[in-house]
């Protein structure tokens, strides 16, 4: 029997399909959670009040980077190249100068993607790390989302492999010294097919060590099994430079269920075949019946992992495919880990708007991805697609995340998505600037940048397993050209950038300077400006206002038409504070507009303004 999670392929045929739309749901029937829900609903503190306690005093700006790529100065870029050929960035490459450059963008969190040890084809047997099998590793460097040892860091990222954990700890300390906080990935749904922890503390029992492999499902097992059947390696029949390392076999008897909920000994090449699904007490092949009492062993093991990294100084966790793990687990684990550090943030990768509120309230997440919603709507506008319409923006804050918009993470790039400047997306980074303004000003929640975004990295080339898919590879050893220009051989001073790249980075700097310091964005309300003047369905305006500040945000996505309108300001907004000199905050230019009940706007194609009044 095969039970699959269907996934949106985003125009690529990679097995690390990230955007799952058929999601698991939990009804929390266990008596363990009845009491928890009782407390939740009778509490005098509302969900919003509870969350407000832990909110930062300025907008969170997350800068995501892969250390393997971020610090790599090598420009060889040989497809499927080895670490010796193409190089790898190290923890130590993320220097004080690099962190200062990140701070220039007004980031206050750094997400170090791929820090934890994951399966790869680079040989570290000299350091007691077993070699991974090429038949169950994607790319030569391997996917950061196929964890090989949850208590270890990636040896690729160490100058001295024996001291790899100390080098990671030094990076955490260096980051904190710069008044930046650290986020790492937490991948709860699956681990690498080769998972074995050689670095775990003595009291920790490894995943699967006590499983009864004769049972396809047991609440006491860490994995799901296909009894009496060996795992069959899938293939797409295409020869690559890695084919010489592959024999089409991987010794796994009985076969374990694959990470994207494929309960078959023969997953397809488009499945997450390099990973195995973890068992949180749900019997998927029997009506998704839940066994949460007693607590499944995977829950306690994952709690211990989270606490281990929290004690290393990690300030937050980006939780991979959070919706593929039952809400009951999050409800149980997040409060326990926050006892160690109450200021931790938990950011959930989520793609089903129907359950956003449930994952925030019951799951106790601090923030969720706003991908299916704002990102998807903005992408259509950036690409100038025929069906692009600013009504998608309105739908997000008025309906989809109404009442909890401050808990939605907004972004235009990350490791899963196409680069804005890629041929398959916009082809030019500047075409996304109105969307970036909307992303940063629509709510009080976090904003995220992906390294290289601020200098127009196009994600060009067939790097290896990643292919020429408009993305920067996460599977291969590679150099990132535009980012390397800013890196300038480790000086991190941007001196190799051209004038357009410098201007783009300065735009991001100024925008995030405005939003991180804005009381209206962090604490204010939002008013939807009615369509006026010559505004069409590719032009949008809204007002963010608080007792301390009023901002008019105008975004023109139209490729050809100038926006011309006289925007009326409602009396209730005019009354909340005294008038300020009317200023375009993105240029610091006074607009010489007399204080009054309306603001005349003239905005060229593909541009935006943030006007304080």
């Amino acid at each position: 029997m095969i039970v699959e999670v269907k996934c949106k392929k985003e125009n690529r045929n990679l097995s690390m399909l990230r955007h799952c739309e058929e999601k698991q749901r939990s009804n929390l029937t266990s008596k363990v959670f009845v009491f928890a829900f009782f407390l939740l609903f009778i509490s005098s503190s509302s969900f919003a009040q509870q969350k407000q306690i832990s909110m930062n005093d300025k907008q969170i700006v997350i800068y995501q980077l892969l250390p393997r790529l971020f610090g790599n100065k090598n420009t060889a870029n040989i497809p499927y190249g080895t670490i010796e050929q193409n190089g790898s960035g190290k923890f130590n490459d993320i220097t004080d100068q690099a962190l200062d450059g990140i701070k220039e963008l007004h980031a206050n969190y750094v997400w170090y993607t791929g820090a934890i040890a994951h399966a790869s084809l680079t040989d570290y047997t000299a350091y007691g790390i077993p070699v991974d099998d090429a038949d169950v590793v994607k790319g030569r460097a391997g996917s950061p989302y196929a964890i090989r040892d949850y208590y270890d860091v990636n040896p690729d990222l160490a100058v001295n492999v024996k001291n790899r954990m100390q080098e990671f700890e030094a990076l955490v300390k260096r980051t904190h010294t710069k008044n930046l906080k650290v986020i790492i990935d937490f991948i709860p749904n699956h681990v690498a097919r080769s998972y074995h922890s050689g670095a775990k503390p003595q009291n920790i029992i490894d995943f699967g060590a006590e499983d009864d492999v004769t049972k396809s499902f047991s609440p006491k097992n860490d994995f799901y099994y296909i009894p009496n059947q060996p795992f069959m390696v899938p293939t797409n029949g295409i020869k690559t430079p890695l084919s010489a390392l592959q024999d089409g076999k991987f010794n796994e008897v009985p076969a374990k269920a694959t990470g994207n909920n494929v309960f078959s000994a023969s997953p397809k090449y488009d499945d997450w075949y390099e990973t195995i699904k973890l068992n949180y007490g749900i019997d998927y092949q029997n009506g998704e019946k839940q066994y949460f009492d007693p607590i499944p062993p995977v829950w306690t093991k994952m709690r211990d992992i989270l606490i281990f990294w929290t004690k290393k100084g990690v300030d937050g966790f980006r939780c991979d495919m959070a919706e593929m793990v039952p809400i009951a687990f999050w409800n149980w684990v997040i409060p326990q880990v926050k006892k160690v550090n109450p200021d931790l943030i938990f950011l959930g990768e989520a793609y089903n708007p129907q359950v956003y509120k449930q994952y925030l309230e019951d799951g106790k997440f601090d923030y969720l991805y706003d991908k299916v919603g704002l990102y998807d709507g903005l992408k259509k506008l950036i690409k100038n697609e025929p069906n692009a319409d600013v009504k998608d923006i309105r739908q997000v804050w008025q309906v989809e995340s109404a009442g909890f918009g401050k808990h939605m993470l907004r972004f235009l790039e990350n490791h899963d998505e196409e680069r804005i400047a890629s041929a398959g997306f916009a082809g030019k980074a500047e075409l996304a600037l109105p969307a970036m303004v909307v992303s940063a000003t629509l709510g009080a929640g976090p904003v995220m940048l992906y390294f290289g975004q601020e200098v127009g990295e196009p994600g060009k080339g067939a790097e290896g397993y990643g292919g020429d898919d408009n993305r920067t590879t996460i599977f291969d050893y590679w150099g990132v050209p535009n980012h390397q220009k800013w890196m300038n051989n480790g000086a991190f001073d941007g001196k190799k950038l051209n004038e357009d790249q410098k201007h783009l980075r300065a735009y991001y700097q100024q925008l995030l300077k405005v939003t991180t310091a804005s009381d209206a964005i962090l604490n204010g309300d939002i008013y939807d400006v009615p369509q006026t003047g010559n505004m069409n369905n590719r032009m949008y305006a809204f007002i963010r206002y608080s007792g301390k500040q009023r901002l008019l945000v105008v975004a023109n996505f139209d490729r050809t038409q100038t926006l011309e309108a006289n925007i009326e300001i409602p009396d209730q907004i005019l009354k909340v504070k005294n008038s300020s000199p009317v200023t375009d905050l993105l240029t610091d230019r006074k607009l010489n507009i007399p204080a009054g009940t309306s603001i005349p706007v003239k905005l060229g194609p593909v541009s935006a303004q943030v006007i304080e009044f």
Side-chain angles (χ1 to χ4, degrees):
M1 179 180 183
I2 300 176
V3 183
E4 298 190 34
V5 172
K6 299 185 184 297
C7 299
K8 182 177 180 180
K9 293 190 179 181
E10 292 284 339
N11 299 317
R12 59 173 169 167
N13 195 26
L14 293 180
S15 303
M16 279 299 294
L17 306 175
R18 316 295 300 156
H19 310 315
C20 291
E21 295 180 340
E22 184 178 311
K23 299 298 178 184
Q24 305 165 9
R25 289 172 175 82
S26 170
N27 61 20
L28 298 175
T29 55
S30 169
K31 64 183 180 181
V32 173
F33 299 100
V34 171
F35 183 62
F37 276 103
F38 175 72
L39 289 178
L40 177 67
F41 290 112
I42 68 166
S43 170
S44 60
S45 297
S46 70
F47 160 65
Q49 289 170 331
Q50 291 169 351
K51 290 285 184 180
Q52 192 171 5
I53 295 169
S54 62
M55 285 300 225
N56 288 36
D57 59 359
K58 61 166 53 178
Q59 185 183 41
I60 289 176
V61 177
I62 299 169
Y63 189 87
Q64 182 194 3
L65 65 89
L66 276 77
R68 186 210 306 150
L69 303 179
F70 181 86
N72 188 19
K73 305 176 186 69
N74 189 313
T75 60
N77 284 357
I78 299 167
Y80 289 98
T82 65
I83 192 170
E84 291 80 14
Q85 291 171 317
N86 284 351
S88 174
K90 310 295 182 184
F91 292 132
N92 288 1
D93 290 324
I94 305 169
T95 60
D96 287 339
Q97 291 80 10
L99 294 168
D100 285 339
I102 291 170
K103 286 196 71 174
E104 286 174 0
L105 294 164
H106 300 277
N108 36 45
Y109 281 79
V110 187
W111 169 12
Y112 294 120
T113 304
I116 298 177
H118 59 79
S120 84
L121 298 185
T122 301
D123 187 349
Y124 290 104
T125 52
Y127 303 94
I129 300 170
V131 175
D132 284 302
D133 190 315
D135 289 287
V136 288
V137 177
K138 292 180 177 175
R140 198 179 288 275
S143 167
Y145 296 93
I147 297 299
R148 175 173 61 193
D149 187 341
Y150 245 125
Y151 288 97
D152 203 356
V153 293
N154 183 0
D156 284 345
L157 307 180
V159 174
N160 183 335
V161 175
K162 287 183 179 179
N163 294 333
R164 57 192 181 277
M165 186 61 79
Q166 291 91 323
E167 290 184 23
F168 172 77
E169 291 168 346
L171 173 60
V172 172
K173 184 177 181 181
R174 202 158 55 246
T175 308
H176 287 162
T177 299
K178 291 295 183 180
N179 201 28
L180 293 163
K181 294 189 175 184
V182 172
I183 294 174
I184 65 170
D185 287 282
F186 173 57
I187 300 94
N189 175 68
H190 50 267
V191 292
R193 210 127 216 149
S194 59
Y195 188 92
H196 171 74
S197 179
K200 68 184 185 300
Q202 285 188 348
N203 62 324
I204 296 296
I205 299 170
D206 224 353
F207 288 116
E210 298 180 339
D211 282 8
D212 181 349
V213 301
T214 66
K215 296 180 178 179
S216 58
F217 168 79
S218 166
K220 297 178 181 180
N221 281 354
D222 294 332
F223 299 122
Y224 298 91
Y225 295 90
I226 297 88
N228 304 314
Q229 294 185 50
F231 172 73
M232 303 298 290
V233 174
T235 180
N236 65 353
I238 297 174
K239 294 291 184 182
T240 75
L242 300 185
S243 297
L245 304 176
Q246 299 167 336
D247 61 5
K249 300 174 184 177
F250 179 71
N251 185 23
E252 181 181 282
V253 184
K256 301 181 181 76
T258 294
N260 59 320
N261 290 16
V262 175
F263 295 82
S264 166
S266 305
K268 299 173 185 175
Y269 191 77
D270 284 340
D271 291 319
W272 305 348
Y273 66 84
E274 84 283 23
T275 68
I276 42 181
K277 174 82 175 179
L278 287 165
N279 173 12
Y280 283 80
I282 297 179
D283 189 353
Y284 288 97
Q285 297 181 88
N286 287 290
E288 299 192 14
K289 190 174 180 181
Q290 299 169 349
Y291 297 84
F292 298 159
D293 184 11
I295 295 297
V298 162
W299 291 28
T300 56
K301 289 172 182 174
M302 284 303 193
R303 177 199 61 195
D304 293 344
I305 287 165
L306 287 165
I307 290 173
F308 174 85
W309 291 106
T310 301
K311 289 182 177 179
K312 293 285 185 188
V314 169
D315 303 291
F317 297 94
R318 179 269 189 189
C319 301
D320 184 74
M321 299 308 300
E323 292 166 303
M324 294 186 77
V325 171
I327 291 178
F329 167 72
W330 300 115
N331 175 282
W332 176 84
V333 79
I334 289 176
Q336 292 195 55
V337 182
K338 285 194 175 187
K339 288 178 183 177
V340 180
N341 178 5
D343 295 326
L344 279 175
I345 64 169
F346 280 81
L347 168 61
E349 181 190 18
Y351 299 112
N352 183 0
Q354 301 303 315
V355 296
Y356 284 170
K357 190 174 183 182
Q358 192 178 4
Y359 271 82
L360 289 166
E361 292 184 349
D362 305 341
K364 303 191 181 298
F365 275 95
D366 298 290
Y367 308 106
L368 298 177
Y369 270 35
D370 197 345
K371 195 276 177 191
V372 179
L374 190 63
Y375 172 88
D376 284 350
L378 291 175
K379 186 172 185 178
K380 289 188 287 187
L381 287 161
I382 296 167
K383 293 181 71 173
N384 199 32
E385 293 181 358
N387 64 338
D389 197 311
V390 295
K391 69 181 182 182
D392 290 339
I393 303 172
R394 190 176 291 112
Q395 168 74 13
V396 166
W397 70 267
Q398 291 185 356
V399 179
E400 191 174 278
S401 57
F404 54 87
K406 67 174 61 176
H407 301 291
M408 301 305 293
L409 167 75
R410 273 69 193 251
F411 58 86
L412 294 181
E413 285 192 357
N414 64 39
H415 66 279
D416 284 321
E417 307 302 341
E418 293 178 313
R419 289 286 193 176
I420 295 163
S422 69
F425 194 158
K428 186 179 180 183
E430 287 76 10
L431 291 173
L433 292 180
M436 190 64 214
V437 170
V438 171
S439 292
T441 57
L442 191 65
V447 181
M448 186 168 75
L449 300 182
Y450 187 41
F451 83 106
Q453 176 182 344
E454 72 278 14
V455 292
E457 177 57 44
K460 194 174 182 179
E463 310 100 336
Y465 184 86
D468 194 357
D469 63 352
N470 304 309
R471 295 164 175 80
T472 295
T473 180
I474 65 171
F475 305 101
D476 308 284
Y477 298 110
W478 203 250
V480 184
N482 281 15
H483 167 71
Q484 287 176 326
K485 293 175 185 176
W486 173 72
M487 181 168 49
N488 189 17
N489 203 38
F492 296 98
D493 58 9
K495 288 189 176 179
K496 291 186 178 180
L497 297 173
N498 63 33
E499 289 306 309
D500 286 344
Q501 292 162 344
K502 290 176 182 177
H503 184 265
L504 180 66
R505 182 178 163 87
Y507 190 100
Y508 274 92
Q509 249 176 285
Q510 181 65 16
L511 171 62
L512 295 170
K513 176 184 176 183
V514 169
T515 62
T516 53
S518 171
D519 186 75
I521 289 169
L522 191 65
N523 301 308
D525 293 322
I526 184 169
Y527 166 77
D528 191 54
V529 172
Q531 202 170 65
T532 184
N534 72 339
M535 290 174 69
N536 60 33
N537 67 349
R538 290 161 198 266
M539 302 171 179
Y540 191 60
F542 57 94
I543 295 170
R544 299 298 312 275
Y545 63 100
S546 68
K548 297 179 180 179
Q549 189 182 40
R550 296 183 304 221
L551 301 177
L552 168 63
V553 180
V554 189
N556 182 7
F557 297 92
D558 198 295
R559 294 280 182 97
T560 59
Q561 187 168 323
T562 295
L563 186 163
E564 295 187 70
N566 200 52
I567 294 178
E568 298 291 331
I569 311 300
D571 286 344
Q572 70 266 27
I573 294 177
L574 289 171
K575 290 175 183 176
V576 296
K577 67 176 289 294
N578 294 327
S579 295
S580 303
V582 182
T583 306
D584 179 355
L585 296 182
L586 296 183
T587 60
D588 284 328
R589 181 169 59 92
K590 299 292 186 290
L591 296 183
N592 196 27
I593 297 170
T597 60
S598 67
I599 297 176
V601 172
K602 186 174 183 179
L603 191 60
V606 195
S607 58
Q609 284 184 302
V610 179
I611 299 171
E612 186 172 32
F613 64 96

